[in-house]
Amino acid sequence: YNTGAIYANNIRLSQGTNALAINSLGSSRTSAPLQISFSNFDLANISRAIERNDSLVNGSINGNITLRDITTKLGFTSDLTIRNFAYQKNLIGDIGLQASTAAGDRYNVLATLTGNGNNVTVNGYYVAQTTDNALNLTADINNINLAAFEGFTMGQLQELSGSLGGRLNITG
């Protein structure tokens, strides 16, 4: 069928309690939204497949991403959680992400980082296809545990300690 449509019916990759499922929502085979669901999906599997290294990233993803109008003007909503996210074997914490497209090429985002001494919320939006104030985010940093981010320095900084706090407005 050469319709240009994308339709998925009960695609599931799983191993034990790890699962990735892809399904089209609704009965229309030409415009059905596509939902990608994660259940305890281990990030180390992706790391091993791409980098052949299981220690680059770790954690388990739960939640959904729904894609709409895939072949015309892509839109999406997501509600994801990564539990025990670690980078380079350094535990960062739990990451939450709620994001969606809105009218006028606007992308709304609410992201959180909690656990392991971290408590951060980033809220705001990005508007594509504009040159004025396209980015408008606010990071409320109640606490960032600097030691958790040592892995991101690629060995340039060692034995980090302390914390950061404050509010950061990100615009442009």
Side-chain angles (χ1 to χ4, degrees):
Y1 306 100
N2 191 10
T3 64
I6 297 172
Y7 192 85
N9 187 21
N10 294 322
I11 297 172
R12 183 175 172 87
L13 304 171
S14 64
Q15 178 183 18
T17 61
N18 296 297
L20 168 66
I22 304 173
N23 279 297
S24 292
L25 304 174
S27 59
S28 171
R29 292 191 176 259
T30 58
S31 63
L34 188 67
Q35 186 173 63
I36 304 165
S37 300
F38 299 91
S39 178
N40 297 318
F41 189 79
D42 190 355
L43 281 174
N45 291 331
I46 297 171
S47 184
R48 278 191 294 273
I50 296 171
E51 297 282 332
R52 306 256 186 237
N53 179 352
D54 64 354
S55 64
L56 181 64
V57 292
N58 283 298
S60 62
I61 303 175
N62 288 289
N64 300 304
I65 300 171
T66 303
L67 305 173
R68 297 177 311 280
D69 302 320
I70 296 170
T71 59
T72 55
K73 185 171 178 66
L74 179 64
F76 72 93
T77 57
S78 69
D79 187 359
L80 298 170
T81 303
I82 303 174
R83 296 229 347 110
N84 297 316
F85 177 73
Y87 180 75
Q88 297 281 337
K89 297 184 180 178
N90 288 333
L91 178 63
I92 307 300
D94 298 334
I95 298 172
L97 176 64
Q98 295 176 341
S100 63
T101 52
D105 292 324
R106 179 175 161 146
Y107 300 88
N108 298 320
V109 64
L110 172 61
T112 59
L113 171 62
T114 57
N116 196 29
N118 297 303
N119 186 353
V120 179
T121 301
V122 177
N123 193 8
Y125 62 88
Y126 170 74
V127 180
Q129 310 299 325
T130 186
T131 57
D132 273 349
N133 297 322
L135 186 62
N136 189 346
L137 299 171
T138 300
D140 286 315
I141 305 166
N142 293 314
N143 196 66
I144 291 180
N145 173 11
L146 292 176
F149 291 88
E150 191 170 307
F152 289 104
T153 71
M154 306 306 239
Q156 298 299 312
L157 300 174
Q158 298 177 353
E159 299 181 26
L160 283 175
S161 64
S163 62
L164 290 174
R167 175 175 259 194
L168 180 63
N169 292 318
I170 306 160
T171 61

